[in-house]
Amino acid sequence: MAVSNSAYLKQFHEASKAMGAKIISSDFTFEVDGFEQNYLLAKQVPWAIVSPAGEIEVPGPLGMASYQPQQAKTYMQGQIAFEETIAGSVDNMLVNLLTGGGRFNATVYEGTPQKFLRAKRYIDCFVQIDNPDRDWENRSQIMIFTGTLFFHYFGEIIPGNSLDYT
């Protein structure tokens, strides 16, 4: 184990502090276009990152090979979860989305729609919801709809209206 002097460690501490506080993964809201009132019910949603969809192997002489990145992946999927309310807000929203064609656009805010650091637009989304289990003996768990969100993301980042959303 290395024993570093305190002045050396202080430099790393100050450099880390200068980069800012660490982001907390729960600091988000998910707003479905047309169902803006339900943004507080979204419990989990994917945070899209644009990256290559994979690699392309390029053969070379003497059996050598190298790699190139594929085109950026813009179709994505990830886990989504909504908390249900007595009024049936999520259940009604899912039925209305399905009867309206099943596709929708949405915004994921880093913060809230009223005060956020940045936001990302998801387009041409649809959700596949797993059937939730109802357990009449379980009085300690709220009703949660979970499933998979399928969407397109093209790297659009909306600048926030706040430097500190707390």
Side-chain angles (χ1 to χ4, degrees):
M1 177 173 105
V3 177
S4 303
N5 67 48
S6 60
Y8 183 64
L9 294 175
K10 184 178 180 194
Q11 289 175 347
F12 284 104
H13 175 74
E14 290 173 354
S16 295
K17 293 294 283 183
M19 291 181 179
K22 305 299 184 271
I23 191 69
I24 307 299
S25 68
S26 66
D27 292 348
F28 85 96
T29 50
F30 180 70
E31 187 177 68
V32 176
D33 292 3
F35 298 90
E36 288 79 5
Q37 72 280 4
N38 288 349
Y39 79 88
L40 290 174
L41 301 176
K43 183 180 181 302
Q44 177 183 6
V45 72
W47 183 252
I49 302 293
V50 174
S51 68
E55 77 286 342
I56 301 169
E57 184 174 335
V58 180
L62 303 174
M64 294 176 47
S66 62
Y67 293 98
Q68 290 182 196
Q70 289 183 5
Q71 192 166 6
K73 182 177 179 179
T74 59
Y75 61 96
M76 302 182 186
Q77 67 182 32
Q79 288 300 114
I80 191 164
F82 293 102
E83 297 176 355
E84 182 60 293
T85 62
I86 293 171
S89 297
V90 174
D91 201 353
N92 292 336
M93 177 184 76
L94 294 172
V95 169
N96 288 333
L97 287 172
L98 189 59
T99 58
R103 295 191 181 265
F104 59 91
N105 295 330
T107 306
V108 182
Y109 295 93
E110 198 166 27
T112 65
Q114 297 79 24
K115 196 173 182 186
F116 63 99
L117 298 177
R118 61 186 172 157
K120 295 185 177 192
R121 284 291 292 167
Y122 295 0
I123 61 168
D124 204 20
C125 310
F126 68 93
V127 293
Q128 180 273 315
I129 297 292
D130 304 324
N131 290 329
D133 292 327
R134 303 289 306 249
D135 181 359
W136 66 274
E137 291 181 325
N138 188 351
R139 296 182 306 237
S140 63
Q141 183 176 345
I142 60 172
M143 181 73 159
I144 297 185
F145 290 100
T146 60
T148 305
L149 174 70
F150 298 88
F151 62 99
H152 287 83
Y153 175 68
F154 296 97
E156 179 184 359
I157 296 177
I158 302 165
N161 58 13
S162 173
L163 296 176
D164 177 18
Y165 57 87
T166 58

